[in-house]
Amino acid sequence: MVAASAVQITVLRGRDEERRAIRRLLDGLTGGGAAVVFQGEPGSGRSALVDYAHHHAAACAVLASAGLAEEATLPYAGLQRLLDPVLDRAGELPTAQSRLLRRVLSGAGCPPERQLALGLAALRLLAVAARDRPLLCTMDDVDRGDRATAEILAFVARRLRRMPVAVVLTATSTPPAGLPTYRLRPLDERDSAALLADRLPEPPVAPVTAALAAASRGNPQALVDLAGVLTTAHCRGEEPPPAAPPADGALGRAYRARLDQLPHDTRRMLLLAALDEDGAPDALVRAARVGGASIAVLAPAERAGLVRVEAHRVTFPHPVARAVIAAVAPIAERRAAHLRLAGVLDDPAHRLDRALHLAAAAAGPDPALAGELEAAALTVGGARASVALERAAELGEDPARVAERRVHAARYAWAAGDTRRARLLLSGLPADPVAPAGTAPAEPLGAGLAAGPVPPTVTGRADLLRGEVELRCGRTPAAVRALLAAADRLARTERSLALVALARAGEALCFSGEQYRYADLARRGRDLARPDEPPEVELTSTYLAGVAATLRGDLEQAGPALRRVVVLGGRLTGSARTPAALCWAASAGLLVAVDGAAHRLAERAVELAREQNELSALPRALELRAIAEYWLGRHEAAAESSREGLRTARATGQVNAAAVHRGMLAVLAAVRADRESCLRRLREIGDGPAPHSRPWALAQWAIAVLDLIDGRPAAAASRLAALARPGTGRGQVLVQVMATPYLVEAAQLAHRPTATAALALFDRWASSTASPSRRALSARCHALLAPRGSAEAEERFRAALRLHPVDAGAFERARTELLLGQELRRARRPRDARTHLHDAWQTFTMLGAGPWADQATAELRAAGESVGVPDPAAARLLTGQQLRIAQLVAEGATNREIAARLFLSTRTVDHHLRNIFHRLGIRSRTELARALP
């Protein structure tokens, strides 16, 4: 039997439903038989499910066979092999059935009019074999063997209701009709990780697991093959993991076995399809006509599960199938196929495809073709441009042009999110600049490329990209070194890129908590700046100066510079309007607390990155958008931005960016007192981030908020105080400033000097901005540090309430209301306290912040008022307008939809909902739906 696609593993990962189906089938044999079919591509675990059935059939006799492509032209060959162990009992059948069955299985054939009789004879033989004990019959790859066997087995499997016989069939292409069929789906990332853990002594780190899951396309055998070629460095993330399963692995061999059984004409057409990356049938049809063939010859390949021919596309079940088809073809046939495809791609829209096919057929360097590839690549961009530029580099002869094309190819790969490819392309380039006259020349290009010196500009661009990749995906010290080297190499010839390198280096320093080194970047930026620069160049140099001034505490100089950056960001147009420039402008906006402008700039960066398919820019843009939404009080929107940023960072291998988004999600969950979600995100972060890095600081902030909620203010204060050491430029100063309101609240009793010092820094920043929300938080912090029960404390709280914007930051306003209510209650003014506590409770309830609402409820009870359960006759407690709004909420309408239907403003709807919640004594929209009759 052939079972090349079998996945031999102890636990069948991702196949829970299929395993349950097998157990139900076997457990139900006492009440009658049944059948099940598992359909899936090679490597999906079909054979493993057959083995699972055999393993759990201890109470059954077992007949097992498999469809063999070698016997596909021999009618009933598979049936003969399946029934051979029980054929000696054919004598127990009626004479006519016994004679017919023996005659057919001896190779005499069966006329069409006797098919029904043959099927009933096979069914009766199985019933006879099952008299002693239940019977399990399995046929793996039933569609690969002879069709006559498949038809008889399907006939039998549909008629098992009254006998203790179970039938399990597997198929790659079309399953037998009329039988329960399970389509084997790709494994998700969790099951992929579990399968890798089963196979490897050291499970890969999360980013490597995600990359391997993507490379395998969820195919279990592909994952097993990938696991077989992993090194320890791969598993630890020290080297990029393989981008595809090995073509000579078990999955590749399974496809090769199927390929070997196909007719020669089918294989030639399959090769054309494999080499045509576009997959459009029209080009394939035209190429086939040139060779005197038809696309119809692909039918045997479809039946073998090697290709899918659809109305508008020809696809392969797995990239390994395409790779194997191309790899096993002789080089002469591959070249001929490429030339034939190039010959039919004469439309200008297919310029790049034509050039790529010609390049694949090229036998050696071809500068003219390299130039055509480069020109065509620049018209399309993206991952395909990266492939074309790499091939153009291989066809070139001038070392400088070869290096330049590789850098461009790496840049396109990085932008498209293919981090591994970008790193591989950069690895073939020198890491040292061209030496000046009289010294040793620069390191030559990698093996297989034209040797020779590389200009400093090209080397500088390579270092700039290396630094950016390391910043997002690797080690920040390496990122800083590469970026500073890039700034040096580009300073004379491309000042704008040198400034970009410095700005990126600044990001790396802030990420790792080494802000004290930022002053040197600003000095170098000043040396590069010139008067009357283009807006995008002025933006970068001014941003460097503004951030440096902020970090050294010179807010009077920082404010105007950063506001200028925000203005310039809004004015960028054309090619100057890049996601990177918009991100720096958004970052500047956050530093001067113009949150609305910062959010708009970050949103534009997100939109532009999507439009231009710059996946590598998305995580940073989404991080800035999430921070802006945090300051605007839109916590759920911030969480969604971070979730999207996390998904994109993981998909593109940006482990550092992913850690930042996990940290932000942990903070947002902690702030909303969602302990379970916070702890889950903290577990995902683990102990990977270096101390004082941004992910580490965000994780500490989240834990501190949980400490504060749980009544451990001293622990919270210690954590938050350790985030940075102001005055030294070490640690996460900016994260600590964001967390200052929690630090002051935690440290007001046990760590007052720490709280006072942190608040002084926050005050200086808040007072340098025009942000009412920052000043409101400052006033609240001062109220917490004022003597308890004093007029100063109350006045500071009330000042904070006056400063909180009414159209944003509802959560922080509610926190201030809660703290003021606590202050008034403890000052024995319960009546005054209840007003603020009610407002806080209503807001927390509407926002779904249950634990905070519970705190407000506890304070209300301590102030002499209970918050009860809803009255069963809730409708009688509401006005007509309130009842209508409540009914719409119960129907699932949003506040915006309610406002549109009732011709009200959303603010009016919000006001009515607060009153509805208060009158009914409820805390959520779900409870409101339950309270209504």
Side-chain angles (χ1 to χ4, degrees), residues 519-838:
D520 179 60
L521 299 182
R523 177 189 59 76
R524 297 171 69 165
R526 285 194 302 272
D527 293 342
L528 290 171
R530 302 287 186 273
D532 301 322
E533 296 274 30
E536 67 275 16
V537 180
E538 182 187 353
L539 182 151
T540 312
S541 61
T542 308
Y543 176 76
L544 279 165
V547 173
T550 300
L551 293 174
R552 69 173 179 267
D554 188 354
L555 300 179
E556 291 183 357
Q557 183 176 343
L562 294 171
R563 291 187 185 91
R564 174 63 177 166
V565 173
V566 174
V567 171
L568 289 169
R571 294 178 180 174
L572 294 176
T573 59
S575 61
R577 192 168 179 258
T578 64
L582 291 171
C583 283
W584 288 321
S587 177
L590 291 171
L591 290 174
V592 291
V594 286
D595 303 321
H599 186 266
R600 286 190 295 274
L601 289 162
E603 179 63 24
R604 287 176 195 165
V606 170
E607 293 171 354
L608 189 61
R610 288 175 178 151
E611 289 171 10
Q612 298 179 349
N613 199 32
E614 284 196 48
L615 297 181
S616 60
L618 265 177
R620 174 61 173 165
L622 288 163
E623 175 193 344
L624 293 167
R625 190 175 79 178
I627 295 172
E629 288 162 342
Y630 170 84
W631 281 117
L632 289 167
R634 305 174 191 169
H635 289 182
E636 185 51 45
E640 181 52 40
S641 291
S642 284
R643 283 191 288 268
E644 183 182 354
L646 175 58
R647 288 192 297 271
T648 309
R650 293 175 66 184
T652 55
Q654 296 189 34
V655 293
N656 294 339
V660 170
H661 282 292
R662 288 190 178 101
M664 193 67 194
L665 286 167
V667 169
L668 290 164
V671 165
R672 300 293 292 273
D674 184 352
R675 173 183 301 279
E676 183 180 348
S677 296
C678 178
L679 293 177
R680 185 178 74 253
R681 295 301 182 185
L682 291 172
R683 286 193 296 270
E684 290 174 1
I685 294 172
D687 57 1
H692 304 297
S693 66
R694 188 177 301 142
W696 173 87
L698 290 170
Q700 294 299 305
W701 180 8
I703 297 170
V705 174
L706 293 183
D707 285 337
L708 185 59
I709 293 170
D710 291 342
R712 298 190 295 272
S718 296
R719 287 187 187 279
L720 294 174
L723 295 183
R725 286 177 282 171
T728 68
R730 297 178 184 273
Q732 291 296 323
V733 177
L734 299 179
V735 175
Q736 189 179 63
V737 169
M738 288 181 70
T740 292
Y742 292 93
L743 173 55
V744 171
E745 189 174 342
Q748 58 179 307
L749 298 177
H751 294 74
R752 286 186 69 87
T754 301
T756 302
L759 181 55
L761 181 61
F762 188 88
D763 275 345
R764 290 188 59 211
W765 176 53
S767 61
S768 72
T769 73
S771 169
S773 62
R774 305 303 195 281
R775 296 185 180 193
L777 293 173
S778 175
R780 186 174 85 193
C781 290
H782 280 284
L784 289 170
L785 293 179
R788 299 275 60 82
S790 66
E792 179 189 357
E794 181 177 353
E795 177 50 36
R796 294 279 195 175
F797 275 125
R798 295 193 183 281
L801 289 176
R802 288 192 297 271
L803 286 166
H804 277 300
V806 295
D807 59 343
F811 179 82
E812 290 299 343
R813 182 181 182 86
R815 293 270 290 119
T816 301
E817 296 271 20
L818 175 60
L819 291 168
L820 175 54
Q822 290 174 340
E823 174 70 16
L824 294 172
R825 181 187 65 76
R826 291 167 185 168
R828 299 183 179 180
R829 295 167 59 187
R831 179 178 299 176
D832 295 334
R834 285 197 290 268
T835 300
H836 299 288
L837 293 172
H838 266 300

Side-chain angles (χ1 to χ4, degrees), residues 9 101 116 152 263 298 512 520 536 539 612 626 716 736 890 930:
I9 53 178
L101 190 60
L116 177 60
I152 290 296
L298 285 176
S512 60
D520 179 60
E536 67 275 16
L539 182 151
Q612 298 179 349
Q736 189 179 63
R930 293 172 181 165

Side-chain angles (χ1 to χ4, degrees), residues 806 838-839 842-843 846 878-879 881-882 885-886 889 895 898-899 904-919 925:
V806 295
H838 266 300
D839 288 344
Q842 289 173 0
T843 301
M846 290 186 65
L878 305 179
T879 67
Q881 182 78 304
Q882 289 172 342
I885 290 173
V889 169
N895 288 9
I898 294 169
L904 301 172
S905 69
T906 53
R907 188 174 300 177
T908 300
V909 174
D910 290 343
H911 173 74
H912 280 305
L913 268 179
R914 290 192 187 95
N915 288 335
I916 291 168
F917 281 20
H918 175 57
R919 289 190 178 200
R925 297 168 91 94

Side-chain angles (χ1 to χ4, degrees), residues 101 157 194 213 220 234 276 286 299 443 772 799 847 878:
L101 190 60
H234 288 145
D276 181 20
R286 292 171 63 196
E443 178 184 335
L847 294 174
L878 305 179

Side-chain angles (χ1 to χ4, degrees), residues 5 38-42 46 141-144 170-175 183 255 258 302-306 308 317:
S5 62
F38 298 113
Q39 180 192 8
E41 65 187 39
R46 292 170 294 110
D141 290 329
V142 67
D143 56 336
R144 293 199 69 202
T170 74
T172 302
S173 53
T174 306
R183 173 69 178 156
Y255 281 121
R258 291 166 182 256
E302 283 192 273
R303 289 194 295 272
L306 283 165
R308 303 186 189 110

Side-chain angles (χ1 to χ4, degrees), residues 181-194:
T181 300
Y182 290 81
R183 173 69 178 156
L184 303 185
R185 305 295 179 187
L187 302 186
D188 60 22
E189 190 171 320
R190 184 183 65 179
D191 288 321
S192 296

